[in-house]
Amino acid sequence: MIRQVYHYAVAFITLVMVIGGGVFSFMALADYVSPNAYVESFEDYKMMREYHPKFENSEVKREELSEEELRRQYDVMVQQQMENNKQRALNSFVKSLGWIIIPLPIFVFFQRRINREKGNK
């Protein structure tokens, strides 16, 4: 009786882990396909560059950049943020696969044991 309860408990727990891993994997793939990231506006980026505290009351001379150069730097920053978000999503996907691959054989093993015990009765 106790062994049967143990087999059912392990099968249930590993099944929940596999389902959770599937959900997390799907969410990570969705983040990879359509990264959802907050990106500051160009105006905010420009103001941050103009009024950054590291330049206030300092001997460091501010470099005066043209609007085109600021726009180019902003576009590069946005692209880097999107690439970073995609990389994080891919990393999360690989980790989520662990929640499927590791408990799945344990679930199959205990499920077969449960079925074998049912067949013997």
Side-chain angles (χ1 to χ4, degrees):
M1 170 73 172
I2 293 176
R3 183 171 41 174
Q4 200 174 24
V5 170
Y6 172 74
H7 290 169
Y8 277 108
V10 170
F12 176 73
I13 290 168
T14 54
L15 179 63
V16 168
M17 291 172 73
V18 169
I19 291 170
V23 170
F24 292 140
S25 295
F26 180 79
M27 289 176 9
L29 280 178
D31 286 342
Y32 182 79
V33 171
S34 175
N36 186 12
Y38 168 76
V39 180
E40 64 187 343
S41 68
F42 177 68
E43 288 74 25
D44 289 341
Y45 177 77
K46 193 163 89 172
M47 287 190 58
M48 186 269 309
R49 294 277 303 181
E50 290 175 5
Y51 301 109
H52 196 277
K54 101 176 184 186
F55 293 117
E56 289 182 15
N57 300 325
S58 173
E59 298 295 321
V60 178
K61 183 173 171 145
R62 277 186 223 194
E63 37 180 302
E64 295 295 324
L65 298 175
S66 67
E67 187 83 14
E68 294 81 28
E69 181 63 23
L70 274 175
R71 176 60 78 172
R72 188 188 66 72
Q73 287 180 359
Y74 173 76
D75 291 340
V76 167
M77 182 209 51
V78 169
Q79 186 64 29
Q80 285 175 341
Q81 282 185 351
M82 293 306 238
E83 289 300 318
N84 287 343
N85 285 340
K86 280 188 167 187
Q87 190 60 40
R88 270 190 230 102
L90 192 58
N91 189 351
S92 178
F93 174 71
V94 171
K95 290 177 183 177
S96 297
L97 286 180
W99 283 91
I100 297 171
I101 293 170
I102 295 169
L104 187 61
I106 299 168
F107 171 75
V108 170
F109 175 77
F110 277 92
Q111 191 62 37
R112 286 183 181 170
R113 265 200 162 164
I114 291 169
N115 289 338
R116 194 177 332 130
E117 286 177 1
K118 280 184 179 178
N120 288 340
K121 289 186 178 182

